[in-house]
Amino acid sequence: MEQEQNTRIGIIDIGSNSIRLVIYEVTGVYAYRVIDENKESARLSGKIDQDGKMKRADMMAIVQTLNHFKMLCQANRANSIRAVATAAIRNAANSQEILDVLRQYTEMDIEILPGDEEARLGFLGMINTMDIQDGLVIDIGGGSTEVSLFLNRTLIHSISFTFGSVNTTKKYTKDGVVDQESITRIRQMVTAALSKEPWIKGHKGLPLIGLGGTIRTVCKLDQREKKYSLPLTHNYRLEAEAVDRLLAELGPMPVERRKKRDGMTSSRADIIVPGLIILQTVFEFADAAHYIVSGSGLRDGLFFESLDPANPQLHNVLEHSVRNLLTLHPTISLQHVEQVNRLALKLFDDMQDVHHLSVRSRSYLHVASLLYRIGVTVFYYDFPKHTFYLMAHSRLYGLSHREILICAIAASYKNKNRTRQMCLEYKDILTESDCQLIIRLGTLLQLAIGMDRSQTQPLLRLTAITRSTELELCLECRHSPAIELRELDIAAREFKKVWGLNLRIRADLPASTS
């Protein structure tokens, strides 16, 4: 996956509800980030006439948006642009004419994605940003809905249905407001389509992972209602009751009132209810366990495929995400944090008989030890505060919201009291046992940091031996660890508070330096 320095890729998604642009910057083998994005509400599915055609004026409106996005790509010095069109143009009776007009007036190579390809790319964007083995994926667009099944992180089946939030709203509602008859008709239409795909019903109890604006809006509404303490939508878990309740509340509500709901975007207020009915009907038909919100989908899939066409799917989502975030902060010494990482994990392993913590807890320490110093790139003084913010808000893929907080607070650990205060700020997500775990991991990390305080890697080997009242650290050194010994002496008091063990240090130096 070798990339030249500062490659920039523009991804344009000509969707049935909106046209979106995302510009990615790729600065190395692992390092990529979004540097700009833009959105234009288009409602293309609503602009298809009774003959199934799009008018010339509507085509030219798309041209105007695409040329604006092309200008943004040029301003951001994008090396390439990949533009795709989905259901509204794909299903139009004059789709080739639309494509010809767009290509002529934008001078861009625009692809029309087949439904199965749209489903595959949506799955790719999701699976590269979530550590999940099995599930169903639903992507409700403006003019189509894709449903996919994956097992063992492999796409098994997918189907693209010709109904979405915009065309369903146009066909079955009056100004976006639904009555019971409209709800029944939409459900019957969706169920009839699902019944032709028996594999959707054949895997009960899986999570239903939602992509697209409908479920993201549901997520925001639910989070606002609960006063959720972490403002992340990706990998947010929704229970069936929350979706059922929102549908019951929003269905009979006038659109103008919906717009005033905290978390509702005005451009989605009129199409949210038909989208919700589609979502709920698929959930019930599949007998799914719960919903999971994915903030990543088609555009992310297009990016990953553009980045590495031969191997677009990642094998280890969490490790890739951690290394990406670390590489985006190049002022951090990689040798230092990898040494801290090795020492922290060695402490964890040598003390297994004392703490009896899980393998998953070890992975939290792995993440925290690699990223603990990234806050320095914001401001050195009080950098743990910046480290926490960067980790908690940078989409650490492969972790749940709870796990992100565990890693971020452990990485920014200072002392027991400060950690308890931070955990209280997220008491809707973290438990008392989580707080205890963070404190234990944080103190281990502090010892590991202390053992490379000079950032010169004086330790060749570490062995940690636990006895009834003490932890002995046997340090085999390549040169004098004077700074490290001082740091360990400072850390010993906090360590004893948490672990109830005195710290004893034995440092062995090479004969020439001893």
Side-chain angles (χ1 to χ4, degrees):
M1 197 166 67
E2 294 293 335
Q3 291 285 327
E4 64 182 84
Q5 291 296 307
N6 297 318
T7 297
R8 294 183 175 186
I9 303 169
I11 303 291
I12 298 176
D13 170 14
I14 308 169
S16 302
N17 181 44
S18 59
I19 306 173
R20 293 175 181 265
L21 163 70
V22 184
I23 302 175
Y24 293 87
E25 181 180 52
V26 184
T27 59
V29 174
Y30 286 104
Y32 62 85
R33 60 186 163 194
V34 173
I35 59 169
D36 199 3
E37 66 175 11
N38 212 299
K39 170 190 171 184
E40 185 69 34
S41 181
R43 297 291 175 89
L44 300 184
S45 289
K47 294 176 180 177
I48 304 298
D49 62 25
Q50 292 181 341
D51 295 328
K53 295 183 178 182
M54 182 182 290
K55 293 182 174 62
R56 176 85 175 193
D58 293 323
M59 297 180 208
M60 296 309 295
I62 302 172
V63 167
Q64 185 176 2
T65 298
L66 293 181
N67 280 329
H68 173 65
F69 286 177
K70 185 178 177 180
M71 180 184 67
L72 289 176
C73 288
Q74 291 168 342
N76 281 282
R77 304 186 304 281
N79 304 74
S80 62
I81 300 172
R82 186 173 181 188
V84 301
T86 57
I89 295 177
R90 178 173 70 231
N91 297 329
N94 60 339
S95 61
Q96 188 59 52
E97 179 191 357
I98 299 169
L99 196 60
D100 291 342
V101 168
L102 299 186
R103 286 173 172 170
Q104 178 184 352
Y105 289 97
T106 66
E107 297 182 344
M108 292 169 59
D109 183 17
I110 298 164
E111 310 166 49
I112 295 181
L113 290 180
D116 58 349
E117 186 69 355
E118 184 178 356
R120 183 187 69 81
L121 288 164
F123 162 77
L124 179 62
M126 179 281 297
I127 204 68
N128 277 356
T129 58
M130 283 188 180
D131 183 11
I132 186 166
Q133 294 298 307
D134 310 309
L136 288 160
V137 182
I138 181 169
D139 185 356
I140 303 173
S144 68
T145 294
E146 284 70 47
V147 178
S148 302
L149 168 71
F150 67 96
L151 301 172
N152 196 26
R153 298 183 61 80
T154 301
L155 186 62
I156 305 298
H157 294 289
S158 63
I159 183 71
S160 180
F161 298 109
T162 57
F163 51 79
S165 55
V166 175
N167 57 7
T168 301
T169 298
K170 182 180 178 181
K171 184 175 181 180
Y172 291 100
T173 77
K174 182 179 180 181
D175 300 323
V177 179
V178 297
D179 53 22
Q180 193 55 51
E181 182 184 354
S182 298
I183 293 174
T184 300
R185 290 175 66 204
I186 295 171
R187 285 193 193 285
Q188 288 173 342
M189 178 266 296
V190 175
T191 302
L194 295 173
S195 297
K196 297 174 183 177
E197 305 295 331
W199 54 268
I200 297 175
K201 209 176 181 66
H203 295 81
K204 296 180 180 180
L206 293 179
L208 181 63
I209 302 163
L211 321 180
T214 294
I215 197 162
R216 283 199 304 271
T217 301
V218 174
C219 172
K220 290 174 185 176
L221 292 169
D222 189 63
Q223 288 182 339
R224 298 291 201 284
E225 191 174 292
K226 293 177 178 176
K227 295 182 171 58
Y228 192 66
S229 59
L230 188 65
L232 296 178
T233 55
H234 184 73
N235 215 0
Y236 181 73
R237 176 169 167 154
L238 275 163
E239 300 302 332
E241 294 77 13
V243 175
D244 298 347
R245 185 179 66 254
L246 277 170
L247 179 55
E249 290 175 6
L250 296 174
M253 190 182 291
V255 172
E256 289 306 313
R257 274 190 60 200
R258 284 185 206 156
K259 290 180 181 179
K260 296 176 183 177
R261 281 289 297 265
D262 192 17
M264 178 73 74
T265 55
S266 58
S267 62
R268 190 162 291 276
D270 60 330
I271 61 174
I272 185 66
V273 172
L276 270 171
I277 297 168
I278 295 169
L279 180 67
Q280 186 194 57
T281 305
V282 173
F283 182 91
E284 292 176 353
F285 184 89
D287 199 7
H290 54 269
Y291 302 89
I292 300 176
V293 181
S294 175
S296 302
L298 174 63
R299 291 177 296 282
D300 304 88
L302 287 164
F303 168 71
F304 284 117
E305 191 162 79
S306 299
L307 189 66
D308 191 1
N311 299 289
Q313 188 168 332
L314 304 176
H315 297 294
N316 189 325
V317 171
L318 177 57
E319 188 67 18
H320 188 274
S321 181
V322 169
R323 292 289 172 174
N324 182 66
L325 187 54
L326 184 58
T327 312
L328 287 173
H329 296 82
T331 58
I332 306 306
S333 166
L334 192 59
Q335 283 184 311
H336 168 62
V337 295
E338 288 188 337
Q339 174 78 337
V340 169
N341 175 257
R342 283 189 292 268
L343 295 170
L345 297 182
K346 187 64 164 60
L347 280 171
F348 185 97
D349 294 341
D350 285 357
M351 295 178 66
Q352 184 68 52
D353 290 342
V354 177
H355 58 64
H356 304 293
L357 295 175
S358 67
V359 173
R360 192 64 175 172
S361 295
R362 189 181 191 273
S363 70
Y364 304 153
L365 184 59
H366 171 65
V367 171
S369 58
L370 285 172
L371 298 179
Y372 91 92
R373 201 170 165 81
I374 60 173
V376 170
T377 59
V378 178
F379 196 55
Y380 173 77
Y381 298 103
D382 205 18
F383 76 79
K385 175 177 67 177
H386 305 306
T387 290
F388 170 79
Y389 183 86
L390 288 170
M391 290 180 67
H393 297 270
S394 293
R395 275 199 184 183
L396 266 175
Y397 296 132
L399 298 174
S400 68
H401 290 190
R402 168 185 163 270
E403 291 175 321
I404 288 171
L405 289 171
I406 289 172
C407 293
I409 299 174
S412 59
Y413 185 83
K414 283 188 175 180
N415 56 56
K416 193 174 178 179
N417 291 337
R418 177 179 176 273
T419 297
R420 289 199 172 280
Q421 290 172 356
M422 292 184 73
C423 288
L424 282 174
E425 293 177 27
Y426 300 94
K427 61 184 179 181
D428 57 326
I429 301 173
L430 298 174
T431 65
E432 173 59 28
S433 61
D434 291 332
C435 188
Q436 291 288 346
L437 173 61
I438 293 166
I439 290 168
R440 301 185 96 184
L441 296 179
T443 50
L444 292 182
L445 177 56
Q446 287 302 301
L447 289 183
I449 294 168
M451 286 187 278
D452 196 44
R453 178 60 185 87
S454 64
Q455 300 194 32
T456 62
Q457 296 80 58
L459 269 67
L460 285 169
R461 267 175 290 279
L462 162 70
T463 304
I465 303 168
T466 52
R467 299 187 177 90
S468 58
T469 60
E470 70 176 19
L471 173 70
E472 182 179 16
L473 300 182
C474 304
L475 316 180
E476 184 180 339
C477 307
R478 59 164 58 91
H479 60 257
S480 173
I483 296 175
E484 283 71 24
L485 293 176
R486 187 179 66 217
E487 290 295 315
L488 288 173
D489 187 54
I490 294 169
R493 185 177 176 184
E494 179 74 12
F495 181 80
K496 185 176 182 180
K497 282 183 186 177
V498 173
W499 293 86
L501 297 171
N502 293 308
L503 205 58
R504 182 182 173 194
I505 312 298
R506 191 180 76 210
D508 294 329
L509 302 176
S512 59
T513 59
S514 57

